[in-house]
Amino acid sequence: MRSEDGARSEDGAIRLSEADLGGPLGERATLVQFSTAFCQPCRATRRVLAEVAGMVEGVAHLDVDAEARLELVRRLGIARTPTVLVLDAGGRVVRRAAGMPRRADVIAALGRAVG
């Protein structure tokens, strides 16, 4: 069964699609950031994720406005911004973190997604 928060795979992982997120997924992986307009750490997170996505071919960065997508936020259980999801090429969530990530942690999580 498909819902707005994506379909669950056989292993129970959540899969998100372009339709779920409102933008194209990366060929190899996608960094998804849930942000709000007045979130100061969201701005810094956006810069880190965009920089890392620019370093690795086939990786996309999507910034989702949490206030505009409240139903998706609730279904995914996102409690604060920024929250970052790392998706593999098939849209499966392989890593999730709340708060501003360190660049090295994003790179390590991305390695898990594309590896």
Side-chain angles (χ1 to χ4, degrees):
M1 186 165 131
R2 184 129 176 95
S3 63
E4 190 174 330
D5 67 332
R8 289 211 179 252
S9 62
E10 290 178 15
D11 62 2
I14 294 174
R15 288 192 187 277
L16 298 170
S17 69
E18 292 180 7
D20 295 321
L21 298 170
L25 299 180
E27 198 175 290
R28 297 179 65 202
T30 307
L31 301 172
V32 180
Q33 173 182 348
F34 285 85
S35 303
T36 52
F38 298 104
C39 166
Q40 195 65 28
C42 292
R43 292 182 185 122
T45 298
R46 189 175 299 114
R47 284 190 298 274
V48 169
L49 297 182
E51 179 183 318
V52 172
M55 292 170 36
V56 183
E57 190 174 331
V59 175
H61 169 225
L62 295 176
D63 193 353
V64 177
D65 180 347
E67 294 170 318
R69 303 293 305 270
L70 281 177
E71 187 175 337
L72 179 61
V73 165
R74 287 184 184 121
R75 289 186 179 178
L76 291 172
I78 294 171
R80 63 183 277 209
T81 58
T83 291
V84 176
L85 306 178
V86 179
L87 312 181
D88 66 12
R92 184 173 62 98
V93 177
V94 296
R95 185 88 164 118
R96 175 184 176 134
M100 193 178 116
R102 295 180 318 155
R103 184 172 174 244
D105 293 336
V106 174
I107 292 168
L110 199 51
R112 183 175 172 203
V114 298

